[in-house]
Amino acid sequence: MEQNFRCNCPITSAIDVVGDKWSLVIIKQMLTEGKKTFKDFMESDEAIATNILSSRLKMLEQFKIINKGKLPENKKTNIYTLTDKGIALTPIIVELSIWSDNNLREFHSALYEGEQIEMIRNKKEKFINHIIENYKKNNWLQHGV
Amino acid sequence: MEQNFRCNCPITSAIDVVGDKWSLVIIKQMLTEGKKTFKDFMESDEAIATNILSSRLKMLEQFKIINKGKLPENKKTNIYTLTDKGIALTPIIVELSIWSDNNLREFHSALYEGEQIEMIRNKKEKFINHIIENYKKNNWLQHGV
DNA sequence: ATCTTTGCTTGCATTTAGCAAGTAATGTTT
DNA sequence: AAACATTACTTGCTAAATGCAAGCAAAGAT
């Protein structure tokens, strides 16, 4: 996988991995919208195409950002969960949200408002931990096993 | 510009603006490598193509993330500087750097090491301010005017 | 007056993303 | 058990973004 990196700068390398149009959107959906199956992602506001979704999930699995598993009672549905590497992307996602709220409103008036973003801004560190704890709680089955 | 946004989610919208392969790399170069002219960006480790660089600089200017100006004594060289919107991207860049250092090393063994990343990790908030103050100091001419 | 530097643009090739349709395996309903 | 529906894909084609090489005009240096 080494040949995929443009250079040895950590910032550029992070962008090489999760800097495409969809990776961080998928991770956001897992982290804050409780999405975990192929169908869940398909039905998102963002309307990702199925071939792109499929290739992105494979790539994220290769970089150990997500796990692919199944529940014992269902042999059809794949359950995708964030690994620790994936959960560690939370601060990036939170900072993107804060930046948009502060700087993009003049170009995009319909941006979500309100409590959640206010909460993120006021108590960033606490909110990051809240999102992570919430994610872990709702995915205890996968994380426990 | 409204039609460029996939939906009303702030995270997705931030990715719509700076989530391409080059925007955050250019901003990183300005913020941490002191680059400010077309030539500076051209000569980077990452080796951006000139047509892409040109279109990215225009786009970043449209979103008021950078300013394009000239020094009084030189009519040829364009000087690009970060606006406050651009400087506000610093926390995102810092978090990308931390994530890489903690999570990408197994896939990219040649990642830069050492002091700087250690410093970022240990004292994140202080380091963000240090980067910003340093940038502002070196660009006082543009910021002052 | 000529040469070099800077900041581009243009044309073409390649890669990545998007859309619509198809499909195989599983699960559900009658 | 047969038919239908759901899930998680793949395939083929189109469109958009990126990459490469060359060219070029304006400004500055020699």
Side-chain angles (χ1 to χ4, degrees), chain A residues 6-94:
Chain A
R6 277 173 281 187
C7 63
N8 298 333
C9 167
I11 296 156
T12 304
S13 300
I15 295 166
D16 285 336
V17 175
V18 295
D20 67 283
K21 196 170 171 182
W22 288 106
S23 294
L24 284 176
V25 172
I26 292 169
I27 291 155
K28 172 211 77 165
Q29 291 175 355
M30 296 177 81
L31 199 58
T32 70
E33 297 168 17
K35 303 200 169 174
K36 52 185 76 166
T37 66
F38 197 91
K39 198 193 165 214
D40 287 342
F41 300 120
M42 259 178 58
E43 290 170 345
S44 67
D45 283 359
E46 288 94 350
I48 184 168
T50 57
N51 53 346
I52 310 288
L53 176 56
S54 176
S55 75
R56 259 343 74 109
L57 290 171
K58 269 174 199 146
M59 189 271 284
L60 292 172
E61 202 188 352
Q62 273 174 28
F63 279 108
K64 300 183 185 174
I65 291 168
I66 62 173
N67 272 324
K68 183 179 182 175
K70 288 194 196 287
L71 295 174
E73 70 270 20
N74 187 324
K75 285 176 192 168
K76 193 160 79 170
T77 306
N78 292 323
I79 306 283
Y80 298 94
T81 51
L82 292 167
T83 62
D84 288 339
K85 278 183 201 295
I87 291 171
L89 290 163
T90 308
I92 295 166
I93 286 172
V94 168

Side-chain angles (χ1 to χ4, degrees), chain B residues 38-39 50-51 54 58 68 76-78 80:
Chain B
F38 197 91
K39 198 193 166 216
T50 58
N51 54 344
S54 176
K58 268 175 198 144
K68 182 179 182 174
K76 194 161 76 170
T77 306
N78 292 322
Y80 298 94

Side-chain angles (χ1 to χ4, degrees), chain B residues 34-50:
Chain B
K35 303 200 168 175
K36 50 185 75 167
T37 67
F38 197 91
K39 198 193 166 216
D40 287 341
F41 300 120
M42 258 178 58
E43 291 171 344
S44 67
D45 284 358
E46 289 93 351
I48 183 167
T50 58

